[in-house]
Structure formats: structure tokens, C-alpha cells
Amino acid sequence: MDVYSTLIVPVRFAWRSLWRRRLQYLLVFIALTAAFWAAFDILAVISSVHRQLESDLRKIGWEVINVHADPQPLRFLGHRLNLAEGERLARLVQGIFAPANLLPSVARAAWAAPGKPGDPEKEETVLLIGTTAAWDRVLSMDFVWGRFFSAGEEDACVLDEWACRRLFPEGISEGERQVAKVRILIGGQAREFRVAGVVRDPFKIRERFEEWDATSLARSPLVRFMEYKNIYLPRAALGAGEEILGLVIKVGPGVEPEEGAERIRERLKSISSTALAWSRKRWASQLLEAAFMAAAVANFVWVIVLAITAFMVVTVVVIAIRERYREIAIRRVEGARRGQVAVQLVLENLLLTLAASGVGLVLAAATGKWLEGQFFGWPVYLKALEVLLVEATGLLLIGITTYFPSGRAARLDPVANLK
Amino acid sequence: MKEDEANSKTVAGSPPLIELRGIEKVYGDGGTARVQALQALDLAIRRGEFAAIVGPSGSGKSTLLHILGCLDRPTAGTYLLAGQDTSRLSDRELSAVRNRRIGFVFQAFQLLSDSTALENVMLPLLYRGVPAVPARQRAKEALAAVALEERLGHRPGQLSGGEQQRVAVARALVKRPDILLADEPTGNLDSANGEAILKLIEEAHRREVTVVLITHDPQVAARAGRVLRMKDGRLEKKC
């Protein structure tokens, strides 16, 4: 094949034709740019959410099993675990995981923070979780502003970010210098604890995400309950008669958390306990599956956006080509092969698509930056492969849809169209 | 006359460049829509001849020219171009024949309206695969030969009718064709411009280009070495 006359020459004519008909092609260009802008942004947002979610979920550690009272209101009120029951659970679990890292938890109803002078005290219902100083074996220190409490440090606590934000809307200083104190009601008596650290929100956009999750399909109410409103206290700070809400178990290497959770469920059943056992791995997997489904739907949407635009473009192309029958006939008379004419007409649209996709990509990048700052706090970007995917899909759709009218025009009888 | 001498010199003894045997052309598929444009047409035109085809409207002149230019295929019969049966050629090969061997000049000029004079003349060379730089150079020379070197960057809309037809002649001749087919080349021009175009055609003929010219004008036809009269799709008689 003579590459020069088959490809280079049509490219040259296509480029000139585009330039000469720039006003005619402007609307098509705008439509294509908007379509690529939308396609790039849809893919950027969804794939960024997917990536960030996966990254965050990996960081929080999946090798954890939670055992706790059923947070459904009726069951929660009707049956709450007590310390004895918690210890019994612990013994049950000990047989499954050795050495198990058990973190008995205690629930109290309310706590209050000392406000600034003149500020009313604030109260929130929270979940108190009694842990050991070895709790950092469950949660990475990367996720704590400040630190966990030390062994024997009974007057320290660690807030989770949600609780911290509710209590200190203006924020507290990070690190060792944290001097904020909270007053917590335990057994009806108020005790003061120093805030040693704040567990960062592992999902960064937790509250935003909850707004999206209107149907609660991504996360069960149970999971929400466990995610929010936690204050971690030294286990020794809690009295023997205090109620237990649950256990956090970090499974050993090579142990499948869901299998462990299943075995715990069997044991709970054998003692007729209504406590729930669930593996974070399973929950995280379900969350990722939901994100994957959202990404699949988003992919479908951007392909549809491009396809609809391609059909719109081809409608314009058909009309434009009809107005160029005489030009096509002249080219054929002067020796252009059908293929050269068809390739030129297709290339005009492909070049336009390439230019529009470039502008669309720049606009999408700007929108991504804006979304990053305004909406998510997550980096919104596209990988090179994703850009290529959108580009290739757009070019393919435009190429296929414009090929047919172009090929048909190239096969027209030149004599009939010279008249 | 000089032209006649040139005509007789190149024609004498040379084999036919164009040979039509029993050519028929029918439009439509029967019934009232069926039109027999050409019937049982035999014709031989030798290399270097200057032939004019005359006849009333609807006599089949343009149809014949389109077949000679490989723009259309006959319904029946054989068209041998330089001894090659064109009916056996693919569309791709016919495109190459038009591109390399045949120059066209039409009554309505048939220039690309959004291209400059230079680009119009470069068109066949680029389709032939001539690189842009030599194609540009040859196109400039062709336009200079028709005295349009000052109008290279003008588009057809910015040129007079005579200038547009000179661009068309330059585009036809830049290919260095064997045959120049001209369909009423002076039909849209005033007498001065018409005369200029005829002179360019005669000049091409002197360079041994075979010319087939269609015209209504007896004075134009008289300048050809041979005049063929058509009526009802047949050649009436040979002159």
C-alpha cells in the first residue's frame, strides 16, 4: 500500500477541509468537546472514588472481626451484654484465635465536653470502647493524630474524628501537646479524660459518603453504628460491672476473618446470644463491590454519552456530505480513489474528535481540580490508560458512524454529481 | 496551417490511442425511463489527433466524453485505451487512468471552490503520490503557463470566468496527460477568453496531447483536425 497517497494525502486534505469549514464544524466541535468533558469527568470522579476507597479500606486493615450487641433498637434495648458476658465471649473466642487480641468494649450513654467560658456544654451519645494500650496492633498509628494512650494511663482517651468534630468544632491541636479534656459519664458519674489522640476518619469523606448512601445499600446500619461515635478508653478505666458492647478481634496471619466470624457466630448461637459477629474483610469487600458496580454504571454512562454524541455528529456529517457531492465528484474526476475520498471524510471527523477530546480533557482536569477542593478532598484524576480508553472509544464511535456516509459518498457516480 | 501540419504529422501511421467498438450506453432499466444514449458506436482516435465532436443537445456527446474519460462505463461494447480494455479495469485502476492519462476541462470549470488556484492544480499530483514540494512547483509552472502566476492564492470565487477556465486547463495539463477531454470549454466564456482557452488547448495539442473537444460552436470545431458529428447516439459521419 502506498502510505503517502492512501493516508498522508487524505490527512492533508482533511486538515485543510476542516480549517476551511471551521465555522461549519464549530457546533460539532462544541458538542464533541462537551461529550468528552463529561466522559472524562464521569470516569475521573468514579475511578478516583473507587481508587481512594480501595486504598483507604486497605489501610484500615481487613483482618479484624467485630463482635457486639445487635444495634437494632429493639434488640439493643432488650438485651445488652454485660462484662461477664463479654468475658465469656472472650473466652469463647480465645479458643478460635490464639493469641487473640481482645478488646472488650464498654458502652455508656452520654458524655459532655467542657466548653470555653460562656459556651454551653455539649452532649452526644457515643459508644465507649474499652481497649488496651496495644490497640495500635489493630489500627495503624498512621490514622491517629497524637497517639494512643500508654499502658497504665487511665485518664487518657482517644476520640474518633467524628466525636472530636462534634465536641470541638473549631478543632484541637495535634500531637503530644493536646491538652483538651472531655468529661464522660460512666456509671452515672462524670470523669475527666485527657485527649491523647484522634483517630482520623479512615474514609476522609465519611459524612459526604453517607449523604450519597441514601439507600444504605453500601453499608448496613450495623456498620454505620460501628463506624461512628466512638471514644476509646483504657480498659482498666471501666468498672467491672459496666456493660459491654463488643469485642474487636484482630485475627492472626493466615486466618480467614469470615471463617472466624462464622465460627464465632456458631458459638454465640450455642449460648443463645444475640450478639453479632462480622468480619471487616467481608464488609470491605461488599463496599468495594458496590464501588465496582458504581464504576461499571459510570462506564456505561460515559460510553452512552459518547455514542449519543457520535450519532448526533453523524447526522450533521450526512447533511454536510450531501452539500459536498460536487467536490467529491471533482476529486474523483481528478483521480482520487474511492478509498482516498472516504478516508478523507472520515479523517475530518477523527481530527475534529481528537481536537475536541484534547480540549475536553483540559476542561475535565480543571473540573477535577475544582471537585477536589470543593467536594471530595480526594485527588480526582485520570490515569493515562483511562484517558486512552475514552479517546479510543470516542474515535472508534466517530470513525464507525462516519464511515458509512463517507463510504457511500465516495461510491457516488461522479458524472451525476458534476452536473 | 501550423496546427494541421502538427495534426497530420503526429497522426500519420500511429496506432489508435482511443478505440471504441460497438459502444452502447443505456440509462434506465426499461419502459419509458429507458434512454439509449449511445448505440453501436465505433470510433478510433490516433495519438496526437485533435478531434471535435459536434451535435445537437441530447445527441450523446457528453455521454461519449464521459466514457472516453473513464468516468462512466458503456452498457455494451469495448473501449480500448492505448490498447488496454478499460472494461477489465477496476475502479482503482480507472482512477489511476484518469489521474495519469486524462486531463479534463469542463464548461462549468469544476474547480474546488474552497481551494486556491494553486491547490486546485496540485490536486491530481497529490492524488498521484507526488510529494507536496515538487507538486507545488509543478503546479506553479502550470499556472505560469496559463499566465496566472499572480493568482496562485486566489480562490475560484475571486477569479473571472476566463481565469477559472485557465486554472482548469492548468489542472488538466499539469498531469502531462495523453488525452485532453474538453466539454464545451468556451461555453461559459466571452469570445476573448474563449479564444485564449482554445489557444491553450491548441498549444497542448502541439505538444502531442491528443485532444477530444465537444462543442456546439462550428467555429471552435473548425479548429480541430477532425470533426465528428453525432446524432441520436450515433456518429453521423466522419470528416
Side-chain angles (χ1 to χ4, degrees):
Chain A
M1 187 179 74
D2 176 7
V3 176
Y4 179 77
S5 64
T6 306
L7 203 59
I8 307 295
V9 169
V11 167
R12 181 193 174 97
F13 285 133
W15 174 252
R16 290 193 172 208
S17 177
L18 267 184
W19 192 243
R20 298 261 158 82
R21 296 178 175 80
R22 52 189 180 275
L23 285 177
Q24 184 184 334
Y25 276 117
L26 187 63
L27 277 179
V28 176
F29 179 77
I30 290 170
L32 280 169
T33 302
F36 274 102
W37 184 6
F40 280 129
D41 262 340
I42 290 168
L43 188 59
V45 167
I46 294 298
S47 60
S48 296
V49 166
H50 195 180
R51 274 195 297 270
Q52 190 69 31
L53 196 61
E54 186 164 18
S55 159
D56 283 348
L57 285 174
R58 297 281 175 204
K59 281 180 196 165
I60 64 171
W62 293 14
E63 311 308 310
V64 170
I65 298 171
N66 289 53
V67 183
H68 52 79
D70 188 341
Q72 297 293 327
L74 287 175
R75 291 185 190 174
F76 187 73
L77 293 172
H79 179 82
R80 298 173 87 173
L81 303 178
N82 56 37
L83 188 59
E85 197 166 359
E87 286 173 352
R88 191 175 168 197
L89 281 175
R91 282 196 300 278
L92 283 170
V93 172
Q94 286 280 11
I96 298 172
F97 303 108
N101 182 15
L102 301 179
L103 306 166
S105 306
V106 175
R108 297 307 292 168
W111 60 283
K116 291 176 183 173
D119 278 359
E121 289 195 338
K122 294 169 184 171
E123 292 186 5
E124 289 292 344
T125 300
V126 297
L127 176 66
L128 295 184
I129 299 179
T131 78
T132 67
W135 190 50
D136 60 348
R137 290 167 65 185
V138 176
L139 191 69
S140 164
M141 279 299 291
D142 297 343
F143 283 91
V144 180
W145 299 343
R147 58 177 177 81
F148 289 115
F149 41 79
S150 309
E153 192 180 24
E154 291 192 9
D155 63 341
C157 71
V158 174
L159 310 179
D160 90 357
E161 195 179 22
W162 185 94
C164 184
R165 266 192 257 148
R166 293 301 294 261
L167 188 60
F168 304 105
E170 293 167 8
I172 58 172
S173 59
E174 294 184 21
E176 297 291 338
R177 288 176 299 167
Q178 286 180 144
V179 291
K181 290 183 178 179
V182 292
R183 192 155 61 240
I184 301 172
L185 299 172
I186 300 174
Q189 293 184 353
R191 286 181 57 187
E192 278 203 346
F193 289 84
R194 288 181 299 108
V195 179
V198 177
V199 177
R200 291 174 193 269
D201 181 345
F203 304 109
K204 310 293 184 196
I205 59 156
R206 180 178 286 176
E207 286 166 293
R208 296 275 186 196
F209 191 84
E210 188 178 41
E211 285 166 17
W212 289 2
D213 190 18
T215 58
S216 302
L217 289 174
R219 296 174 301 155
S220 68
L222 172 74
V223 174
R224 288 162 186 247
F225 187 83
M226 291 304 291
E227 276 181 353
Y228 286 81
K229 307 182 183 181
N230 297 337
I231 292 184
Y232 306 95
L233 297 172
R235 187 179 174 188
L238 303 169
E242 303 302 332
E243 291 169 321
I244 301 292
L245 250 194
L247 309 169
V248 178
I249 303 158
K250 187 174 185 183
V251 300
V255 177
E256 183 56 45
E258 182 50 26
E259 282 176 19
E262 182 56 38
R263 289 170 68 185
I264 292 171
R265 280 195 286 271
E266 283 170 13
R267 291 195 180 195
L268 289 170
K269 200 174 171 184
S270 73
I271 62 168
S272 302
S273 171
T274 57
L276 300 175
W278 53 276
S279 76
R280 193 177 283 173
K281 185 174 185 178
R282 187 176 184 188
W283 163 72
S285 303
Q286 286 172 342
L287 200 57
L288 282 179
E289 268 177 40
F292 180 78
M293 278 181 63
V297 169
N299 281 331
F300 180 72
V301 169
W302 70 255
V303 171
I304 290 294
V305 165
L306 286 181
I308 290 171
T309 309
F311 280 104
M312 201 188 76
V313 168
V314 82
T315 309
V316 177
V317 167
V318 166
I319 296 166
I321 285 180
R322 278 188 186 161
E323 290 172 359
R324 294 173 63 184
Y325 280 175
R326 189 175 149 273
E327 175 207 326
I328 292 165
I330 292 171
R331 291 181 182 278
R332 294 277 288 133
V333 167
E334 291 306 324
R337 299 190 296 271
R338 285 173 182 165
Q340 286 173 312
V341 173
V343 167
Q344 178 192 329
L345 295 174
V346 172
L347 277 173
E348 284 177 20
N349 294 288
L350 290 184
L351 287 172
L352 199 67
T353 305
L354 263 181
S357 68
V359 177
L361 184 59
V362 171
L363 290 172
T367 313
K369 277 285 167 208
W370 179 79
L371 283 174
E372 219 174 281
Q374 300 290 321
F375 194 59
F376 293 111
W378 282 359
V380 178
Y381 64 95
L382 278 173
K383 290 182 174 175
L385 198 65
E386 290 166 336
V387 172
L388 284 177
L389 181 70
V390 175
E391 291 269 3
T393 306
L395 288 171
L396 192 69
L397 285 168
I398 295 292
I400 290 172
T401 49
T402 55
Y403 172 78
F404 294 102
S406 303
R408 193 165 158 266
R411 286 192 298 276
L412 287 172
D413 176 11
V415 171
N417 291 290
L418 279 179
K419 289 172 183 170
Chain B
M1 281 175 73
K2 243 180 185 177
E3 286 83 357
D4 290 338
E5 284 166 17
N7 199 45
S8 56
K9 194 167 82 181
T10 49
V11 169
S14 58
L17 179 63
I18 293 167
E19 191 173 359
L20 304 179
R21 294 178 193 159
I23 292 290
E24 296 202 1
K25 181 67 185 179
V26 178
Y27 293 108
D29 53 358
T32 52
R34 190 174 188 274
V35 175
Q36 177 105 28
L38 297 176
Q39 41 191 318
L41 195 143
D42 296 319
L43 173 65
I45 297 176
R46 295 186 183 282
R47 189 178 293 275
E49 248 190 298
F50 184 170
I53 301 175
V54 296
S57 294
S59 60
K61 303 185 299 293
S62 292
T63 303
L64 175 60
L65 189 97
H66 293 148
I67 288 173
L68 292 177
C70 297
L71 290 169
D72 205 355
R73 291 178 188 269
T75 312
T78 307
Y79 170 24
L80 300 174
L81 178 62
Q84 189 173 30
D85 187 352
T86 57
S87 65
R88 294 175 187 275
L89 299 180
S90 65
D91 183 78
R92 188 187 178 92
E93 289 165 331
L94 287 176
S95 295
V97 168
R98 287 196 298 273
N99 184 255
R100 290 168 183 273
R101 311 195 72 154
I102 305 171
F104 295 90
V105 179
F106 297 97
Q107 180 176 0
F109 320 135
Q110 306 296 8
L111 300 175
L112 297 181
S113 57
D114 57 1
S115 299
T116 63
L118 185 67
E119 288 166 344
N120 267 289
V121 179
M122 285 171 72
L123 190 70
L125 299 179
L126 293 175
Y127 279 127
R128 187 184 294 186
V130 177
V133 173
R136 183 178 294 271
Q137 186 55 38
R138 277 176 63 178
K140 279 181 182 175
E141 288 165 10
L143 283 165
V146 296
L148 283 176
E149 61 270 47
E150 303 297 323
R151 302 284 203 191
L152 302 180
H154 287 61
R155 294 188 188 175
Q158 299 167 314
L159 299 172
S160 69
E163 287 172 329
Q164 287 186 58
Q165 194 63 301
R166 273 145 64 195
V167 173
V169 170
R171 183 180 63 187
L173 296 178
V174 78
K175 304 174 182 180
R176 292 167 190 158
D178 295 331
I179 305 165
L180 178 64
L181 299 178
D183 189 356
E184 298 277 10
T186 59
N188 280 357
L189 304 178
D190 57 36
S191 56
N193 279 311
E195 180 60 30
I197 292 299
L198 286 174
K199 282 188 172 165
L200 290 171
I201 291 173
E202 285 168 347
E203 204 175 302
H205 173 238
R206 277 198 295 277
R207 293 199 303 270
E208 299 192 10
V209 176
T210 305
V211 177
V212 179
L213 182 145
I214 287 179
T215 182
H216 277 104
D217 188 340
Q219 286 183 323
V220 172
R223 298 170 76 147
R226 180 180 174 198
V227 178
L228 304 160
R229 293 185 194 284
M230 285 196 73
K231 190 177 178 188
D232 299 332
R234 295 173 188 274
L235 278 174
E236 212 167 42
K237 63 173 183 177
K238 295 175 186 175
C239 302

